[in-house]
Amino acid sequence: MIKLIMFKKIFDSHTHIFPDKIAEKASNGIGEFYKMPILHAGTVEDLKSRFKENGVCGGIVCSVATIVAQVGTINDFIAQAVFESDGLFVGFCSLHPDMSESELEAEINRAVSLGLSGVKLHPDIQRFEADGKAAYKIYEVIGGRLPMLLHAGDSRYDFSSPKRIANALERFPEMTVIAAHLGGWSEWDDASLSLAGKWDNLYVDTASSLYALPPEEAREYIYAFGEERVLFGTDYPMWDIRVELERFEQLNLPESLMDKILYNNAKELLGL
């Protein structure tokens, strides 16, 4: 059984939400992409309920635009969810690589005016290379103004490989990047070799990783990236928050490090 009493504060740095009318379809689409079952509804109210049930004090919420036309609608929805959450949610806006520089600039400015605090990109789903021309256009426009939650790794593709993310950080050292999934889903060794310990503005999260890694291996990756650079994330609605907390507890990390990963690192990064 999980001993939630030992966790002073919990912040979930990686969740996805969708409007009620499309939540089931959108969640199932994620499941089909990864060939995995989706455990939860993906709605705002369901996420709020699961945060409350598990003592989670807040989290990053985001969604991914698969076409340019979805960007504005998604960002309006995320902003509204943040506004109505009474401080529970931190919203990251969506962008798309097919947007022009002027469109990107305008949408980033609009997203900030709506109260959004970062950017979410998914090279594998959005079909662009993390170190390619389209990506660099986005990074140039962001200009280090906002942290970016970037999907990292997939052994089936080469859009978001740890090496590509390393190339992007070399080119844009001012960027603050959260490389999701301990730096490279299904490519954890490559992530550790290519990314760990090389940039002070690179963070990773635990989302969709602890289910696949033995605790001792996950601990090695966490220590490789550094105590100040790891964030707890669940990848809701794909995974159950309570189960992810149980997996995290099974890492048997020092309590001070648990506190950093579960809350304090996100607090410093996002100004919670």
Side-chain angles (χ1 to χ4, degrees), residues 189-226:
D189 281 343
D190 288 346
S192 181
L193 290 170
S194 300
L195 297 172
K198 297 183 179 180
W199 292 275
D200 289 340
N201 53 342
L202 172 68
Y203 296 77
V204 297
D205 68 34
T206 65
S208 287
S209 297
L210 302 183
Y211 81 98
L213 295 170
E216 60 275 11
E217 192 172 341
R219 283 197 303 271
E220 287 182 13
Y221 295 135
I222 287 170
Y223 282 116
F225 281 103

Side-chain angles (χ1 to χ4, degrees), residues 4-161:
L4 289 176
I5 186 99
M6 71 186 298
F7 298 153
K8 296 182 179 71
K9 278 192 172 182
I10 303 167
F11 184 88
D12 188 340
S13 294
H14 193 142
T15 76
H16 303 268
I17 53 172
F18 312 102
D20 290 358
K21 64 181 180 181
I22 67 164
E24 182 177 2
K25 180 180 179 181
S27 295
N28 288 340
I30 295 173
E32 290 171 6
F33 186 82
Y34 286 107
K35 305 296 190 291
M36 293 181 181
I38 297 297
L39 298 181
H40 298 301
T43 64
V44 171
E45 291 307 313
D46 186 67
L47 180 59
K48 286 181 178 179
S49 174
R50 295 185 189 282
F51 275 6
K52 183 176 181 181
E53 289 172 3
N54 293 286
V56 178
C57 68
I60 291 172
V61 293
C62 60
S63 189
V64 176
T66 57
I67 57 173
V68 172
Q70 294 174 347
V71 169
T73 302
I74 285 174
N75 294 340
D76 288 343
F77 165 70
I78 295 293
Q80 187 68 24
V82 170
F83 179 75
E84 295 176 350
S85 74
D86 195 23
L88 187 66
F89 295 155
V90 174
F92 276 29
C93 73
S94 184
L95 299 172
H96 194 279
D98 289 344
M99 298 170 73
S100 68
E101 289 185 13
S102 61
E103 289 172 327
L104 289 165
E105 183 69 41
E107 188 59 24
I108 289 170
N109 290 336
R110 191 180 79 90
V112 171
S113 74
L114 290 172
L116 301 183
S117 304
V119 175
K120 165 65 176 179
L121 296 172
H122 197 309
D124 298 343
I125 287 177
Q126 296 178 302
R127 313 299 287 182
F128 70 96
E129 294 170 343
D131 62 348
K133 183 177 179 180
Y136 285 179
K137 174 182 61 179
I138 296 174
Y139 306 156
E140 286 172 356
V141 174
I142 294 173
R145 288 178 288 172
L146 296 171
M148 179 169 55
L149 175 56
L150 183 65
H151 171 87
D154 191 325
S155 58
R156 302 173 300 171
Y157 311 108
D158 188 33
F159 293 106
S160 64
S161 68

Side-chain angles (χ1 to χ4, degrees), residues 6 219 222-223 248-249 251-255 257-258 261:
M6 71 186 298
R219 283 197 303 271
I222 287 170
Y223 282 116
F248 180 74
E249 185 182 48
L251 301 181
N252 289 319
L253 297 167
E255 185 173 347
L257 179 51
M258 285 187 174
I261 294 172

